[in-house]
């Protein structure tokens, strides 16, 4: 399940060390249409949003 950082609203995997505090989200925002839209390196293990 993706986690949205409360500091900068970036989206991470739960195991990511890049965010301090966050809230689980059930779906990605409309702006996220591909895995390339997610900036954090924690998404590099996925090939597409379908894998998440």
């Amino acid at each position: 399940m993706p986690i949205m950082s409360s500091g900068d609203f970036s989206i991470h995997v739960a195991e990511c060390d890049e965010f301090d505090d966050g809230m689980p989200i059930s779906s990605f925002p409309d702006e996220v249409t591909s895995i390339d839209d997610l900036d954090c390196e924690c998404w590099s293990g996925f090939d597409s949003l379908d894998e998440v």
Side-chain angles (χ1 to χ4, degrees), residues 3-50:
I3 306 289
M4 181 177 285
S5 171
S6 61
D8 62 2
F9 303 108
S10 58
I11 301 172
H12 305 269
V13 296
E15 297 80 16
C16 182
D17 294 330
E18 294 292 318
F19 69 98
D20 294 326
D21 188 25
M23 175 177 61
I25 56 175
S26 58
S27 63
F28 291 105
D30 292 338
E31 297 84 24
V32 177
T33 58
S34 76
I35 203 77
D36 296 328
D37 294 332
L38 301 166
D39 295 329
C40 187
E41 189 64 31
C42 66
W43 296 105
S44 65
F46 299 95
D47 291 326
S48 70
L49 291 178
D50 292 334

